[in-house]
Structure formats: C-alpha cells, structure tokens
Amino acid sequence: MGNFSKQNPMHSNWGSACSDSDWGMGNDSRFGHDSKFKKSCNVCKSQDASACNCNFRAPARQLAAPLNSDCVLVNSVVGSKAVQKVAETTLPFTAFAPVIPAGSTIRTVSVVPNLAGITRNTTIIRDKVVNIGLIPVTVTVTFTAPGTTTPVLTATLATSLPFQEHTDFPGACPEDMIVEPPLTIEGIFAQPGVPVIGPTGLITANAILVKIVLRTTITVTRQVIVDPQGGICDVNERRCETTTTPTTNTLPAP
C-alpha cells in the first residue's frame, strides 16, 4: 500500500480515495471542474457505487537483469534401453498358512503381484546400471493331502519376491542421471515340486518356485552445456574418472 500523508489520512502516493472537494479543500482534482461525479466513491458517501472510476497504475516492476550468457544447459541422452528384470524365489510348503503337508499334491497356484508396492533401488557404476528391488505378492495354493484326492484345501502366503538386474550402458558414469518409468509385468510363472532343503538338512521336493518377468525402459542422461554454435561440453569433465576402489552401495530397506 502507499504511504499516507500526515495531513490527510486518505492521501497516498497513488492518489486520493476522495477528491479535494469532498474534504472541503477545493475542486475535484481527479475529474475536473465539470465532472458530474463529484462524490463518486463509497468512502465519499456517494449513493451511486457504479460511479467509482479508479484509474491508477501500479508501480512498474523491476525486471531481473538479463543473463550475460547465450549458452544453455540441457540433458544429453547417454543411452536408452528396454530391459527385463526377473523376480523369483522358492517357497517351501512350511511357509504357507496353513502349512502344506509334505508330499501333498498341488492343484493350483495363484500369484497376485502388488505393482503399487514395488521397491526399486537404482544406481550407476561405470558403463552399467544396477537395479535391485522387491515386488510384494500374495500366493494362494490349492492342494490335497498325501494319499487323498479330497478335500481340496487352500493355503496362502503374503511375501515379496526379490529382483535384480545389471544393464550394460557404455559411456555411463556414476554421476549421470537415470529415468525409469514404472515396471510392467510380462509373465507370471509357478513351478511346484522344486528341490528345497528341509529343517533337518534333507533335500525334498516340498516347495514351489515363483517367478515374475518385469519390463521397463532405462534412460541415462547427462547435463551438458551447449553454445550458440552447437558445441557441447560436459558440466563435470571428470565424472568418469575411475577410482582406486570399487563402488560399494548399501541400499535402503523397503
């Protein structure tokens, strides 16, 4: 708001809310001597609010100083690839509720993944993108006990399947950036009767292998500076220098 003068509280640097004549100080300075709208604003006790004609200009904004560079910073694509990831684990009969008795006949296996709950940890080492994660699933099994054909019983298990993949990206460096859209499912597979080591150390076939094939696209980008002639230089020219020790990453738990 403007600064009001000490003599007249309704005067400001942006003009007066009322004319001088409204304050008993002479002619209307806003509308001229022949104005038909002497007392034109509500604050001036006018009965006609539509007569208020507030023509004023806000102070001009100070524009920011123009940039003194005609170069631009852009993301250059190092590479982009469609990749597959495989999530799988072996589930022993004893992991289900209720426990599936050893030697049972497996009738059906239903695997329902929770895509919204996927945990992904992605990092870059030189020339490679490493991706590790978990996908939550609910596994439902129907079975019959050993030596019988009825009744058909149901057991369930809520767990997570781990997946991991490393993708070759020649030229990629640890300081590059990764763009990876949500994972999609290409296939779900279940195989009963796979070997598993039991509590006593004995290998039995009382387990189910569950596998999910996932697909996504990985794009690696790098910030570079482009000059008006199209010349390109890296923001960090030393980003790909090798270190004397291998990269070690401890990824956060889901």
Side-chain angles (χ1 to χ4, degrees), residues 61-252:
R61 294 182 180 179
Q62 183 68 35
L63 297 178
L67 298 176
N68 59 4
S69 171
D70 51 4
C71 295
V72 293
L73 183 66
V74 300
N75 285 333
S76 176
V77 176
V78 177
S80 183
K81 290 184 178 181
V83 297
Q84 289 180 320
K85 308 175 191 296
V86 176
E88 69 173 75
T89 193
T90 299
L91 305 173
F93 287 179
T94 54
F96 290 84
V99 171
I100 302 174
S104 294
T105 301
I106 303 300
R107 301 295 182 181
T108 63
V109 180
S110 170
V111 181
V112 179
N114 176 13
L115 289 177
I118 289 180
T119 300
R120 276 190 299 188
N121 296 296
T122 307
T123 189
I124 302 178
I125 60 177
R126 183 158 187 173
D127 298 330
K128 282 182 173 52
V129 173
V130 179
N131 193 283
I132 298 174
L134 295 169
I135 176 170
V137 297
T138 299
V139 183
T140 303
V141 177
T142 60
F143 65 94
T144 53
T148 66
T149 57
T150 58
V152 177
L153 305 175
T154 301
T156 60
L157 172 64
T159 186
S160 293
L161 307 185
F163 64 85
Q164 65 82 28
E165 190 62 53
H166 60 274
T167 306
D168 289 332
F169 268 90
C173 300
E175 291 190 16
D176 291 334
M177 297 170 289
I178 301 173
V179 179
E180 188 174 1
L183 292 164
T184 59
I185 294 179
E186 287 201 318
I188 300 175
F189 307 91
Q191 175 64 64
V194 296
V196 65
I197 300 177
T200 62
L202 180 66
I203 298 177
T204 68
N206 299 316
I208 302 171
L209 173 67
V210 177
K211 176 180 293 192
I212 299 178
V213 179
L214 304 164
R215 187 177 184 87
T216 188
T217 301
I218 296 177
T219 301
V220 178
T221 65
R222 176 179 303 166
Q223 286 191 323
V224 296
I225 298 172
V226 181
D227 63 24
Q229 288 72 43
I232 298 175
C233 60
D234 197 342
V235 173
N236 179 8
E237 296 181 352
R238 305 178 63 182
R239 72 172 69 235
C240 289
E241 290 186 0
T242 57
T243 59
T244 56
T245 56
T247 300
T248 302
N249 291 281
T250 301
L251 304 174

